[in-house]
Amino acid sequence: AASYATACSGLPVRATVHVEAMPDDPLAEVRFVEALATAGECKVGAIVAACNLADADAAAQLDALCAASPRVKGIRYILDYDGPFNGGENATHVACSRHGLDYLRDPVASKAFERGFALLAKRGLSFDLQCAPVQLPAAAALCARHPRVNVVIDHCGKPLPLEADGGAEDEAKIAEWRRGLKLMAAQPQIYVKLSMLGYAVPGWCSAPRKEALLRSLVRETIDLFGCSRCMFASNWHVNPSVSDSCGKEPGLEMPALYARFESWVSDLAPDQKRLLFEGTAAAFYHLTPA
């Protein structure tokens, strides 16, 4: 809590969202964050807890998480799977290396996951969707079957690392990401989080051509979803590099990061910018300033 407060010093932060950090014990994580918030040691206004929705006892887990804190507003279970984890060189997240399953496309695993996903609506819980671009069509189909579950796509849909060289490989990756994102944007209950952008374009903060490409992808996303369904997010944890790009590239301190974000949308109207930096997140996560 203290390190986060230091990192965002100078920014007008009124409330924050804690998104699960791959805990071994999701319930203990929620209780820990709730204790900090109750004691006034952080500005967490909403908690996105971890839960494997494919578990047979997912309903009981969800009820326990909600009972542990009124700040629990959503669930995340990292899903990005694009083949076996190989040190992070593909779209599969290290979290998925624990189970090695594609919960969005595998015919058996996806059915178990969907049973748990369906439990979110009646509990008023949203879902943070972190998946690979190749999984977006399957995710769009899942969301279409459960329109009462509000979903936010993490990290701008995680387009695979781009070289920003104008080459055919970049174009193919962008095309795949764009196809999936358009399917998601067609559904009004789906939102996008603009975060961890160094994963998409490594080294963007120190190379103008890379930043130009990244800005164009962010603006394309905003055009697709509208400001009322997009939110800038710091993804802040550990340090600037890890928060922006898995620790493989330099990152910007939080005030500098948000200054870049603001420069990318400087031409928008004040009410549109307010949505991107505050309003959309507050509405989606039912935030109350701490």
Side-chain angles (χ1 to χ4, degrees):
S3 61
Y4 183 87
T6 300
C8 66
S9 178
L11 292 174
V13 176
R14 298 193 298 125
T16 65
V17 179
H18 173 83
V19 180
E20 62 90 17
M22 298 185 292
D24 293 327
D25 186 336
L27 187 56
E29 181 189 45
V30 167
R31 287 171 173 162
F32 173 72
V33 176
E34 171 62 23
L36 290 176
T38 299
E41 295 182 31
C42 65
K43 295 183 178 181
V44 170
I47 297 172
V48 178
C51 180
N52 184 349
L53 297 176
D55 286 347
D57 64 343
Q61 290 184 48
L62 292 173
D63 290 341
L65 291 166
C66 291
S69 170
R71 292 178 174 84
V72 172
K73 304 297 176 64
I75 296 296
R76 180 174 77 166
Y77 192 70
I78 293 174
L79 300 175
D80 41 323
Y81 187 91
D82 191 12
F85 185 72
N86 63 344
E89 296 306 317
N90 60 24
T92 300
H93 194 278
V94 62
C96 300
S97 67
R98 299 176 179 178
H99 52 71
L101 293 171
D102 187 337
Y103 281 115
L104 288 170
R105 295 180 299 168
D106 180 89
V108 176
S110 63
K111 289 181 181 178
F113 185 83
E114 184 165 359
R115 284 194 294 270
F117 189 85
L119 300 171
L120 300 177
K122 70 177 183 179
R123 291 167 173 80
L125 296 172
S126 61
F127 187 73
D128 265 58
L129 172 69
Q130 183 170 323
C131 71
V134 70
Q135 294 174 293
L136 285 171
L142 171 67
C143 293
R145 293 192 293 271
H146 302 276
R148 291 176 55 230
V149 179
N150 285 341
V151 172
V152 61
I153 303 167
D154 286 351
H155 310 324
C156 207
K158 297 190 75 175
L160 292 169
L162 304 170
E163 296 297 327
D165 58 2
E169 187 172 350
D170 268 15
E171 288 304 312
K173 292 176 180 179
I174 292 171
E176 180 177 63
W177 165 81
R178 184 177 287 136
R179 283 193 296 270
L181 215 61
K182 285 181 177 179
L183 292 172
M184 300 297 276
Q187 302 184 53
Q189 82 279 16
I190 301 178
Y191 297 64
V192 181
K193 196 175 292 182
L194 308 169
S195 57
M196 199 177 172
L197 299 174
Y199 181 90
V201 186
W204 70 268
C205 57
S206 55
R209 67 179 174 82
K210 291 186 174 184
E211 182 174 358
L213 172 62
L214 188 56
R215 179 191 181 279
S216 73
L217 298 178
V218 167
R219 289 302 297 260
E220 180 177 346
T221 302
I222 293 172
D223 288 343
L224 268 176
F225 286 82
C227 294
S228 63
R229 290 197 287 151
C230 291
M231 61 186 89
F232 282 111
S234 68
N235 192 49
W236 197 264
H237 62 293
V238 184
N239 59 46
S241 180
V242 172
S243 300
D244 188 59
S245 59
C246 300
K248 295 182 179 181
E249 299 285 343
L252 296 172
E253 296 290 343
M254 206 185 307
L257 178 67
Y258 272 87
R260 295 288 186 98
F261 288 165
E262 192 168 15
S263 74
W264 296 348
V265 295
S266 60
D267 60 307
L268 298 184
D271 60 332
Q272 293 177 305
K273 289 189 283 189
R274 192 172 299 112
L275 286 168
L276 292 170
F277 289 101
E278 176 184 12
T280 300
F284 185 87
Y285 289 114
H286 310 288
L287 277 173
T288 300

